[in-house]
Amino acid sequence: MLVNVSYTNKEITRKIDEAVGQPFTLKERWAMGGIGSPKLFITETSIEIRNLLLLDNNRDSCNIELRPKGIILRFRSLLETFALIIPYYKLTVYKGDLAVYSVYRDQYFVKVQADTKAVQKFFRKMLDYKADNAPTSIEDL
């Protein structure tokens, strides 16, 4: 779900909280060592996101916030903030070239540079959290 989150809208907030859960409490954030990614530079995106990013001339960047049931990938374009809401069961992450991670949800995707240790550490934390909190698969029974 790709939404504009620039302005407070209770209906959109409710849909986001249903999809990926309420934000972590301060105690949980502290225990996890933070829930936000460093600044991620976008190298390639799906056509819907690319059309939004082409509207301004700034360098394309985004960040990712961990939630209990998914992630929120946020990016800005023309003073507007957009969010790609991805529940863990729809999240697919690929490690592509030397320093590129691809984050997919259905027809949407964002490829980001992972050229620093902090970015690689964050993606490891995100994938570990997803694996630890995923429901039991049928193969595990």
Side-chain angles (χ1 to χ4, degrees):
M1 166 168 70
L2 183 63
V3 293
N4 185 337
V5 293
S6 299
Y7 311 104
T8 304
N9 183 333
K10 291 181 182 180
E11 184 63 23
I12 290 176
T13 303
R14 185 187 59 75
K15 285 181 182 178
I16 292 171
D17 289 346
E18 280 179 11
V20 293
Q22 295 280 330
F24 287 108
T25 64
L26 188 60
K27 184 177 180 181
E28 291 170 326
R29 291 178 192 200
W30 190 266
M32 292 174 70
I35 59 164
S37 71
K39 189 175 199 177
L40 305 171
F41 292 105
I42 298 172
T43 59
E44 189 180 341
T45 64
S46 58
I47 192 71
E48 298 91 345
I49 297 171
R50 172 60 50 205
N51 290 338
L52 292 171
L53 291 172
L54 285 175
L55 297 174
D56 67 1
N57 295 324
N58 298 327
R59 180 143 188 224
D60 299 335
S61 65
C62 65
N63 70 332
I64 297 175
E65 174 191 346
L66 296 177
R67 290 281 185 104
K69 297 190 294 184
I71 65 169
I72 300 176
L73 188 143
R74 288 189 179 90
F75 59 93
R76 292 184 55 88
S77 179
L78 284 182
L79 302 176
E80 301 282 322
T81 304
F82 296 92
L84 181 60
I85 313 303
I86 309 174
Y88 284 131
Y89 68 91
K90 289 193 175 223
L91 173 67
T92 307
V93 178
Y94 294 109
K95 173 91 168 75
D97 294 336
L98 181 64
V100 175
Y101 279 98
S102 304
V103 179
Y104 283 83
R105 180 218 162 115
D106 300 334
Q107 78 269 20
Y108 302 110
F109 73 89
V110 176
K111 293 185 180 184
V112 297
Q113 291 178 355
D115 49 359
T116 65
K117 292 283 186 194
V119 174
Q120 294 170 0
K121 184 178 175 185
F122 175 79
F123 273 95
R124 175 61 25 219
K125 180 194 302 186
M126 179 177 70
L127 293 173
D128 289 345
Y129 187 82
K130 176 187 175 187
D132 291 343
N133 295 295
T136 305
S137 65
I138 198 74
E139 292 86 23
D140 293 341
L141 296 177

